[in-house]
Amino acid sequence: MATGTAVDVVMPQMGVSVSEGTVTKWLKQVGDTVEADEGLLEISTDKVDTEVPSPASGVVSEILVQEGETVTVGTLLARVGGEPGAAAPAAPPVEAPPEPADEVVEPPEPSGNGKSFVSPVVARIASEHGVDPSQVPGSGTGGRVTKKDILAFIEQGGQTAAPAQPAAPPPPAPPAASAAPAAAPTTAGSGESLEPMSAMRRGIAEHMRRSLDTSAHVTSAIEVDMSKVVALRGKLKKEYETAYGVNPTYLAFVARATVATLRDYPWINGELRGDQIVTHNYVNLGFAVELADGKGLIVPVVKNAESLNLLGMARGIADVARRARDKQLTPDDVAGGTFTITNPGGYGTFHGTPVISQPQAGILGTYAIVKRPWVITDDNGADAIAIRSIMNLTLTYDHRLVDGALAGRFLRDLRERLQTWGESDY
Amino acid sequence: VPELTYLQAISDGLRTEMRRDKRVFVLGEDVGVYGGAFKVTLGFQEEFGSWRVIDAPLSETAIMGGATGAAMMGLRPVAEMQFADFVSCAWDHLVTVAAKQRWRAGTPVPIVLRLPSGGGFSGGPFHSQNPESSFAHIPGLKCVCPATPEDAKGLIISAIEDPNPVLFFEHKHLYRRIKGEVPEERYLTPIGKARIHQAGDDVSVITWGAMVYTAAEAAAQLDGVSVEIVDLRTIMPWDRQAVLDSARKTSKVLVLHEDTRTGGFGAEIAATIAEEAYEDLDGPVKRIAAPDCPVPFSPVLEKAYIPQVDDVVRGLKELVAY
């Protein structure tokens, strides 16, 4: 449909919990030709950064949301199609609101001082549900909105009251009805510079804080003699790369051994849900992937990792890592993890205390493999010092569910698997 | 299950421990021949003999010093102050020695100090006080304030078993007024665990001792308001989790105590709620307590002094309407 009426491009719904997105970059400009499914723009949500493909072939006739703007899901972003010259006159004048306002929102009745005070719990509920407290009828002293009022309002479907159309300026609010005063704008001091947090940065900040507030983080570490894995990888590397185009990374070995070990430790692959302990008969293994310039981190998930052999694991990790860096992940790719591996060892660090990806119960950290003098015992029982490839592993676990002894046994078994790895095992 | 008064429940718990453990002994003014000013130890000297039920001279210092020494030598003294008010005479041995011995030298000091406290019967300024917050502030001491006969027995047994000095505040106004079912067998009520006196959704009252009943009467007078009453049972250690859970549930909290207001233990509770449950509050944390003056003699003034049912009704209404 290269001609005919223009096709609307709207902010896509990137998963049920995502309500808004930020346009980070337009890949095409007005007047450019775009093919159906070709990338049209890049957006950033609190879950993923991704490309939005064009829904149709044609010429970009209008761009309505500029780079850097954050809009709700469903907002019209651009129009594609029609003939370059013909489309413009056919399109309605830009001044008209892009969508009819679905209802006229009466400005709240101006009320006394009582109503303008928002209690901490009401403020929290309002922000969690995207409700403007000044829209809620208040029954407290002086018309203040109580916790019951706002809960009842939300129960009646009052949440996410459609924000004013982006094109139309919001009606001037009565001064007394303004909710909590806006935070003072942050200003840069001498020698400082400011940059706004990206949606991903905000998402990371919220998740990290929430995780530390939720789980009782404890970290245990173990030293693993990786000599066998190192030798085996040396043998396999060429074969895997030529035959399959896949690099059998150390991470793939550790991941494979972790999945096998998790089978014996369902709680470490579980989660707490209310007062129930949830265990899984599958392992959805998340991998922390750093994005370019250290400006972000995302944890794509390799689903059903228990069904993958070493080759499949190496391929799965490479696939999600590549798609994470190319912004090709979908919300499904980052959801549903049951356990996570993070690999900060690439820079030589030998220990860390990662933060659990909620609602999981544990995260495994893998660190640099270094050659170290190591005491080994030969077949005759004599001790000798040998040069071995040693790697530290940490398990950070939620002590609400996992006790230290269990974590210790898990690490012991994982070490055993890695130290005795034979070619036929996996 | 037999019904006992609050006072009988304390006697029952004490007797149970003395029968079971020969290290447990009682000392205090008139606790032996006379059976105690309030008759908690009536018949004890006949049963256990004058070496385990010791009439002490009129010196709280001597009682406390003797109890401290005996505890350090391996006995389990249960010392009685005839009135909680008199504990000020024992301050030095209690606060300087007993509370700190464990921390200085590692010696356990398993003392129970029974403190008949509280007003409501024109006892005047020397016989009506609730000094629990002064001692809750002393690291090394535990403070127990039961409200029901069942808890009185379970907590006196826990207090005797505890290796630390435990102050057992028994409210005189509950002694014969409050009756309840008390299991015959030996049981322990944990120190540091609150009890939900009644569950509710709209507003929480955090309290202990005799005020539990004042709160319950007030709650019964409010139509259509669901009041949750948390009986702390022990204020050092105190059950922060139960208080925070209740605060998060109702979002409105009234802290009620019979002790005076400024620096009373309610201030600690209110501050903790403000720190830990700030984002769950839908109104100010309110305190109802006695005014900052000694307990008056005059029945009329004493009634104005000790928080009454009407005061709590008014406070709850304000908080619910807020």
Side-chain angles (χ1 to χ4, degrees):
Chain A
M1 122 176 215
T3 54
T5 48
V7 174
D8 291 346
V9 182
V10 299
M11 179 60 76
Q13 176 79 47
M14 302 297 291
V16 283
S17 68
V18 178
S19 61
E20 58 176 32
T22 305
V23 175
T24 47
K25 191 172 182 194
W26 283 102
L27 303 172
K28 301 285 176 187
Q29 302 303 326
V30 173
D32 288 355
T33 305
V34 64
E35 296 297 317
D37 294 333
E38 190 186 351
L40 180 59
L41 73 157
E42 287 181 3
I43 60 167
S44 170
T45 71
D46 57 2
K47 287 267 171 21
V48 288
D49 288 355
T50 190
E51 239 179 52
V52 177
S54 175
S57 301
V59 172
V60 179
S61 51
E62 279 181 81
I63 286 180
L64 298 158
V65 175
Q66 300 308 312
E67 288 177 7
E69 283 186 43
T70 301
V71 294
T72 51
V73 167
T75 302
L76 186 62
L77 302 174
R79 285 199 173 91
V80 173
E83 295 197 9
V94 187
E95 291 79 29
E99 286 170 30
D102 46 8
E103 59 173 322
V104 179
V105 180
E106 288 290 329
E109 229 173 88
S111 52
N113 291 336
K115 188 154 184 176
S116 66
F117 174 75
V118 179
S119 73
V121 73
V122 170
R124 181 170 61 74
I125 294 168
S127 82
E128 281 171 4
H129 292 266
V131 173
D132 176 359
S134 68
Q135 304 293 322
V136 180
S139 70
T141 308
R144 189 184 73 85
V145 176
T146 65
K147 177 182 170 189
K148 280 187 175 175
D149 295 335
I150 195 165
L151 288 176
F153 183 79
I154 289 164
E155 198 159 303
Q156 288 157 20
Q159 75 272 40
T160 57
Q165 296 298 331
S178 70
T186 307
T187 52
S190 165
E192 295 174 338
S193 60
L194 294 179
E195 76 178 292
M197 278 172 106
S198 65
M200 174 178 279
R201 193 78 251 153
R202 281 203 307 271
I204 292 170
E206 184 278 330
H207 189 169
M208 293 302 104
R209 187 64 257 164
R210 177 162 52 82
S211 183
L212 287 172
D213 287 343
T214 302
S215 296
H217 283 70
V218 180
T219 298
S220 298
I222 201 162
E223 296 171 306
V224 182
D225 182 347
M226 291 288 278
S227 302
K228 276 204 165 153
V229 171
V230 170
L232 187 60
R233 176 170 180 267
K235 265 202 272 180
L236 288 178
K237 192 164 186 286
K238 197 154 180 236
E239 178 198 331
Y240 272 39
E241 282 178 346
T242 47
Y244 311 112
V246 171
N247 178 1
T249 58
Y250 290 120
L251 182 60
F253 281 86
V254 173
R256 185 65 198 89
T258 299
V259 168
T261 310
L262 282 173
R263 239 197 321 251
D264 300 329
Y265 295 90
W267 281 14
I268 298 177
N269 187 46
E271 69 181 80
L272 286 181
R273 197 177 297 159
D275 57 1
Q276 300 289 318
I277 296 168
V278 182
T279 51
H280 308 96
N281 68 357
Y282 54 87
V283 179
N284 287 344
L285 198 54
F287 291 90
V289 178
E290 183 201 19
L291 301 187
D293 315 326
K295 291 217 165 147
L297 174 77
I298 196 158
V299 184
V301 174
V302 173
K303 299 278 163 66
N304 289 106
E306 79 284 357
S307 66
L308 300 174
N309 62 8
L310 182 65
L311 174 63
M313 185 71 78
R315 192 173 262 160
I317 296 169
D319 171 59
V320 292
R322 181 189 56 74
R323 288 195 291 126
R325 295 192 177 110
D326 293 351
K327 302 185 176 177
Q328 302 283 328
L329 293 173
T330 68
D332 275 352
D333 287 325
V334 297
T338 61
F339 188 80
T340 298
I341 298 183
T342 181
N343 178 30
Y347 306 108
T349 59
F350 72 94
H351 183 69
T353 58
V355 177
I356 291 169
S357 181
Q358 293 297 325
Q360 298 166 25
I363 181 167
L364 187 82
T366 71
Y367 302 89
I369 296 181
V370 289
K371 286 186 178 164
R372 280 171 40 192
W374 202 246
V375 176
I376 57 167
T377 305
D378 67 17
D379 293 342
N380 300 323
D383 286 343
I385 292 177
I387 297 169
R388 292 295 184 134
S389 295
I390 303 299
M391 180 173 73
N392 287 3
L393 290 176
T394 60
L395 178 69
T396 299
Y397 51 96
D398 184 349
H399 205 332
R400 292 179 306 160
L401 175 59
V402 178
D403 297 329
L406 190 72
R409 288 201 296 275
F410 171 84
L411 284 170
R412 178 201 61 194
D413 291 359
L414 179 56
R415 176 179 65 183
E416 187 62 18
R417 275 202 165 80
L418 288 165
Q419 291 188 164
T420 60
W421 195 298
E423 204 165 338
S424 59
D425 285 349
Y426 295 89
Chain B
V1 185
E3 273 218 335
L4 297 183
T5 63
Y6 181 89
L7 185 142
Q8 288 165 336
I10 298 169
S11 300
D12 190 27
L14 195 49
R15 198 180 296 111
T16 302
E17 288 313 274
M18 289 185 73
R19 284 179 183 165
R20 145 177 198 282
D21 184 347
K22 285 213 166 101
R23 296 172 302 169
V24 180
F25 74 100
V26 164
L27 80 165
E29 292 153 13
D30 291 332
V31 296
V33 176
Y34 188 64
F38 298 99
K39 306 294 179 196
V40 171
T41 49
L42 190 65
F44 274 46
Q45 205 171 53
E46 286 84 339
E47 178 172 353
F48 300 107
S50 54
W51 282 107
R52 290 184 69 199
V53 185
I54 300 171
D55 277 321
L58 196 63
S59 165
E60 285 76 18
T61 311
I63 294 169
M64 196 60 226
T68 305
M72 284 164 62
M73 298 312 290
L75 296 180
R76 301 230 158 208
V78 179
E80 181 186 295
M81 301 284 109
Q82 198 161 72
F83 285 82
D85 311 65
F86 307 162
V87 72
S88 48
C89 300
W91 180 273
D92 190 38
H93 277 287
L94 179 58
V95 170
T96 310
V97 183
K100 296 178 175 61
Q101 184 65 21
R102 167 83 175 150
W103 302 78
R104 289 174 69 225
T107 330
V109 187
I111 297 171
V112 177
L113 191 58
R114 288 185 37 241
L115 298 160
S117 62
F121 44 87
S122 286
F126 302 155
H127 299 85
S128 306
Q129 296 175 79
N130 294 277
E132 63 265 19
S133 70
S134 301
F135 296 97
H137 187 65
I138 306 293
L141 300 180
K142 294 188 177 182
C143 296
V144 172
C145 310
T148 68
E150 187 181 345
D151 288 344
K153 176 173 172 182
L155 281 167
I156 190 97
I157 293 174
S158 290
I160 293 170
E161 243 192 24
D162 198 286
N164 300 287
V166 179
L167 277 63
F168 190 86
F169 292 90
E170 38 193 77
H171 200 291
K172 299 189 291 288
H173 203 43
L174 303 179
Y175 268 158
R176 293 182 172 80
R177 194 162 60 95
I178 299 300
K179 267 191 175 178
E181 292 189 343
V182 178
E184 265 177 276
E185 71 274 12
R186 177 180 189 269
Y187 59 92
L188 292 116
T189 302
I191 292 176
K193 266 284 187 230
R195 177 183 69 94
I196 305 299
H197 187 72
Q198 65 178 56
D201 295 317
D202 296 336
V203 58
S204 302
V205 180
I206 315 297
T207 189
W208 59 90
M211 287 293 116
V212 170
Y213 300 97
T214 307
E217 275 185 60
Q221 289 189 15
L222 292 175
D223 280 339
V225 179
S226 167
V227 181
E228 176 148 303
I229 299 176
V230 179
D231 170 11
L232 279 186
R233 303 203 286 199
T234 75
I235 64 160
M236 190 52 65
W238 64 288
D239 194 343
R240 298 160 64 99
Q241 197 54 50
V243 169
L244 292 172
D245 286 348
S246 186
R248 293 197 171 108
K249 177 169 150 193
T250 64
S251 296
K252 291 182 174 179
V253 186
L254 176 77
V255 183
L256 169 67
H257 60 64
E258 191 179 318
D259 187 13
T260 51
R261 180 181 176 91
T262 301
F265 201 72
E268 176 63 29
I269 296 168
T272 301
I273 294 169
E275 274 180 348
E276 306 283 333
Y278 178 73
E279 289 192 10
D280 289 284
L281 291 179
D282 200 23
V285 180
K286 217 175 159 54
R287 278 182 294 165
I288 293 184
D292 293 329
C293 67
V295 190
F297 261 122
S298 144
V300 178
L301 289 180
E302 191 188 34
K303 222 176 162 187
Y305 175 92
I306 295 175
Q308 302 293 311
V309 173
D310 287 349
D311 301 321
V312 180
V313 167
R314 206 175 310 121
L316 284 173
K317 279 185 176 165
E318 276 173 30
L319 207 45
V320 167
Y322 180 84

